[in-house]
Amino acid sequence: DTGVSQDPRHKITKRGQNVTFRCDPISEHNRLYWYRQTLGQGPEFLTYFQNEAQLEKSRLLSDRFSAERPKGSFSTLEIQRTEQGDSAMYLCASSPTRDSGNTIYFGEGSWLTVV
Amino acid sequence: DQQVKQNSPSLSVQEGRISILNCDYTNSMFDYFLWYKKYPAEGPTFLISISSIKDKNEDGRFTVFLNKSAKHLSLHIVPSQPGDSAVYFCAASAGMDSNYQLIWGAGTKLIIKP
């Protein structure tokens, strides 16, 4: 399978615990994105990497959230001191650098439930 | 302020007929539009896109129409099949290098009736 893969697919954690999600993008894609989606809403942008550089962060990304892409390949999204409001699907996506077209390809998402 | 609006939360269509999903936007700087399909508990899957230099793009059963003057786009699926039942999201971006700035609608749930 050469699509975007995310791990774990589901995570249940107690409030206050830290969680980490991993994303492996499509291998030739140098752009990687994290989004968050809750029921009845479209995806909300969180952050974006071009290779290993984190180029943009949303205001939604509080200081409890941190994302890394140390070697420009896989990425991790860590949420510290989780809160119930963090419960959502966390989506990773990737895209190549192209002269035109902004199509991004999503993974299957990581469901987080904070209890 | 919702820059991309999908005003129909759900749509029910008979199998074999045409499904028309609508999307309106307010930002005249948007120049690239995409449709994604999403099944429950899965990530969105890219369906079709259109650049603002075009008014129509077709791919198999899927056609997207763009009316820039009305700031409106629509996705036509014909003929509709049971596997098309999913939530459809419209997304838009401004500028070729603004992938991360995709602005999404809230989605329309399409139900195909046998």
Side-chain angles (χ1 to χ4, degrees), chain B residues 7-99:
Chain B
N7 291 319
S8 299
S10 66
L11 175 67
S12 186
V13 173
Q14 199 74 35
E15 181 180 356
R17 307 293 286 268
I18 183 171
S19 295
I20 300 176
L21 297 113
N22 293 304
C23 178
D24 297 292
Y25 61 96
T26 57
N27 189 340
S28 58
M29 298 299 291
F30 287 149
D31 60 1
Y32 195 74
F33 305 88
L34 308 93
W35 284 95
Y36 283 81
K37 171 181 174 180
K38 186 179 184 301
Y39 293 117
E42 292 186 10
T45 303
F46 170 72
L47 272 178
I48 192 168
S49 61
I50 188 166
S51 162
S52 61
I53 62 173
K54 295 184 174 181
D55 54 20
K56 177 183 174 181
N57 190 24
E58 190 172 354
D59 183 1
R61 296 186 299 115
F62 302 92
T63 303
V64 55
F65 295 92
L66 175 62
N67 182 335
K68 289 186 290 293
S69 60
K71 294 192 178 68
H72 176 84
L73 65 156
S74 60
L75 174 68
H76 292 210
I77 307 173
V78 56
S80 301
Q81 299 174 353
D84 296 330
S85 295
V87 178
Y88 289 78
F89 290 95
C90 167
S93 69
M96 268 190 291
D97 198 32
S98 58
N99 302 54

Side-chain angles (χ1 to χ4, degrees), chain A residues 9 31 33 37 99 102 104 107, chain B residues 36 41 89 93 96-97 99:
Chain A
R9 293 291 314 279
R31 293 182 175 182
Y33 316 80
Q37 186 169 24
D99 292 335
N102 291 343
I104 65 175
Chain B
Y36 283 81
F89 290 95
S93 69
M96 268 190 291
D97 198 32
N99 302 54

Side-chain angles (χ1 to χ4, degrees), chain A residues 95-113:
Chain A
S95 71
T97 305
R98 286 184 178 154
D99 292 335
S100 64
N102 291 343
T103 303
I104 65 175
Y105 299 89
F106 285 87
E108 294 190 334
S110 293
W111 274 107
L112 173 65
T113 302

